[in-house]
Amino acid sequence: MNELEHRLEELERLGRGRHTRMVSGPQGPRVLLDGKPVLLLCSNNYLGLADHPRVREAAADAAMRWGVGAGASRLVSGTMTIHRRLEQRLAAFEGAEDCVLFGSGYLANAGAIGALAGRGDTVFSDELNHASIVDGCRLSRAEVVVYRHRDVNDLERALRRHGGSGRRLIVTDSVFSMDGDLAPLAEIVELAKAYGARTIVDEAHAIGAIGPDGRGAIAQAGLEGEVDIAIGTLGKALGSYGAYACASEETIRYLINTARPLIFSTAPPPPAVAGALAALELLEEKPHRVRRLRSNARVLRRALTGEGIVAEDTEMHIVPLIVGDERAALDLCEALLERGIFAQAIRPPTVAPGTSRLRLAVMATHTADELREAARVLGEAAQTLDLDPSTASAPFDGERDIVVRRAA
Ligand SMILES: *Cc1c(COP(=O)(O)O)cnc(C)c1O
């Protein structure tokens, strides 16, 4: 057996093997999964805009007007008018001076972190930050100090002890991707000011989903203009692909001069940009989608509570069902699939060992009946498997695959 075979076998043995499933047709609230119709309960297409007729039309039209590809990095072959149009629209939406697009959220985090921190600097990072932030920290070559999840006391301790003479940067998800809880943004901004640190807030799961008219967690906390860089993706609620950073005009100019994923990667394709622009317009015209997402979240959470699965009675659209080990999460996922519901099992290294889960994600385009039925089926499947899923945000203890220093 060769080395890769060995490693793959080991992953399977641990219940961590990954296989993608085949979806026929668009990513709607129901999909044909490996040929079988199922309710999709794990997509980040929160507002159901990925296949909205106006969004599709905008993308198709953009392909005819501007072509499919941008041809090169914008620093080489130029910014296309459609890029700039979306940037201006996003800046206005976020209440920021300016905005710049990136190829994806992953690249935006790598670019923004690398621009604001390098060798000799220190990044303070929440222990449950998204993998793209973790990787951005690594690429930056700054010293990385990980603080306990949402723990501002731990963050302050870390700020007091680390950072010396270099630049300091605090980086956090606003809505945490696998737990659906919120970062204490107001306190983080306050600490940043007190300790001379900059801030990057990743709104990947917040834009289009929470805050006034879906403007995110920064807007919800009344912190527009207080965060150095707000990152958002076009790939989730905005139904497309790509990402952006919103910041002061000076910071955006700095990103254009220093963010390597922007400088050394092809600009986003016109159809994806135009699709996101149409989605943003829909969001601004019809914020009822956001209200629908929230009320759907409440419907699912209440129905889960009715099944004895304790879900907090909030409007957060990400609902983690933590079952513990990898195998249990996979079994529950398969049992649900047999019953017509698709909620992918999430396992290490995406989440900490012992906290494998189904991460349920509500969409605005689900019906309340579909969600109630899903909760009933979930309760039944969990009982059949003798599982006791919990929706409590699990304490993170032990290292994920992060090679960084925990705050001393
Ligand atoms: C999905 C996600 C990203 C990556 O965004 P893409 O556009 O999909 O690359 C970044 N940060 C967080 C918190 C995410 O959940």
Side-chain angles (χ1 to χ4, degrees):
M1 204 186 279
N2 70 31
E3 182 220 337
L4 295 188
E5 272 178 297
H6 252 306
R7 288 179 182 246
L8 282 168
E9 197 158 274
E10 176 68 5
L11 285 175
E12 291 295 344
R13 199 181 56 72
L14 292 168
R16 292 180 192 176
R18 291 169 186 236
H19 311 268
T20 70
R21 303 174 199 264
M22 190 63 74
V23 172
S24 322
Q27 293 275 350
R30 292 182 168 274
V31 294
L32 265 189
L33 189 76
D34 294 327
K36 188 183 155 151
V38 294
L39 182 77
L40 180 62
L41 207 54
C42 53
S43 170
N44 301 323
N45 174 23
Y46 298 125
L47 299 178
L49 294 176
D51 64 340
H52 189 283
R54 245 176 79 184
V55 176
R56 294 186 199 214
E57 237 168 76
D61 180 52
M64 298 314 290
R65 287 173 71 181
W66 291 291
V68 166
S73 160
R74 289 161 64 176
L75 282 98
V76 177
S77 69
T79 289
M80 298 174 81
T81 50
I82 186 73
H83 292 139
R84 196 56 198 147
R85 202 176 301 165
L86 178 57
E87 284 169 350
Q88 284 166 340
R89 197 72 190 245
L90 283 165
F93 181 71
E94 293 250 353
E97 268 179 35
D98 206 356
C99 173
V100 69
L101 296 178
F102 280 85
S104 71
Y106 188 100
L107 295 172
N109 278 325
I113 295 167
L116 295 191
R119 225 189 277 283
D121 301 331
T122 308
V123 185
F124 301 84
S125 174
D126 186 290
E127 64 187 340
L128 291 195
N129 274 344
H130 188 259
S132 58
I133 294 178
V134 174
D135 292 1
C137 288
R138 285 174 176 158
L139 277 170
S140 76
R141 304 188 199 185
E143 182 183 5
V144 183
V145 178
V146 174
Y147 60 90
R148 291 200 173 280
H149 182 48
R150 300 175 64 230
D151 185 339
V152 285
N153 293 328
D154 198 36
L155 172 58
E156 178 158 26
R157 248 192 321 273
L159 283 162
R160 234 185 270 127
R161 290 181 194 176
H162 301 273
S165 56
R167 296 184 292 177
R168 297 156 156 231
L169 172 65
I170 304 171
V171 56
T172 186
D173 285 18
S174 64
V175 171
F176 287 88
S177 53
M178 293 300 138
D179 291 86
D181 49 357
L182 275 166
L185 292 182
E187 289 96 325
I188 287 174
V189 165
E190 203 171 297
L191 282 176
K193 281 187 185 144
Y195 288 88
R198 291 200 177 88
T199 47
I200 295 178
V201 174
D202 181 350
E203 294 256 65
H205 294 281
I207 289 303
I210 71 165
D213 296 338
R215 295 205 335 276
I218 294 173
Q220 179 165 289
L223 294 170
E224 290 112 323
E226 301 281 324
V227 164
D228 288 278
I229 300 181
I231 302 290
T233 177
L234 309 178
K236 289 169 182 161
L238 292 175
S240 182
Y241 189 72
Y244 61 93
C246 278
S248 69
E249 189 265 336
E250 179 186 62
T251 303
I252 296 299
R253 255 193 302 141
Y254 190 70
L255 285 177
I256 290 170
N257 279 274
T258 54
R260 294 172 65 87
L262 191 140
I263 299 171
F264 296 109
S265 190
T266 304
V273 175
L277 180 58
L280 183 62
E281 284 168 1
L282 275 167
L283 173 59
E284 291 188 303
E285 280 167 29
K286 299 185 174 152
H288 68 84
R289 279 170 208 286
V290 183
R291 289 196 293 276
R292 178 67 189 269
L293 177 68
R294 293 189 206 157
S295 64
N296 272 354
R298 205 178 275 281
V299 166
L300 178 66
R301 285 168 171 274
R302 285 192 177 159
L304 286 170
T305 304
E307 293 299 321
I309 299 166
V310 181
E312 274 179 80
D313 191 11
T314 68
E315 295 186 331
M316 190 56 85
H317 51 292
I318 298 169
V319 187
L321 287 193
I322 296 155
V323 294
D325 77 26
E326 289 89 335
R327 188 58 59 192
L330 287 173
D331 288 348
L332 184 55
C333 175
E334 289 303 324
L336 285 180
L337 268 181
E338 278 167 26
R339 294 164 168 85
I341 289 174
F342 180 37
Q344 182 62 42
I346 308 282
R347 296 157 288 154
T350 308
V351 294
T355 72
S356 288
R357 67 195 67 187
L358 303 189
R359 171 192 177 276
L360 308 184
V362 175
M363 295 169 69
T365 42
H366 287 135
T367 67
D369 281 344
E370 282 172 334
L371 295 170
R372 281 188 210 104
E373 173 64 9
R376 191 192 62 73
V377 167
L378 249 162
E380 181 190 284
Q383 208 163 38
T384 312
L385 293 171
D386 206 17
L387 290 175
D388 192 11
S390 145
T391 52
S393 218
F396 185 83
D397 227 353
E399 296 295 314
R400 213 168 30 159
D401 67 333
I402 327 177
V403 195
V404 285
R405 191 135 74 87
R406 181 179 287 284

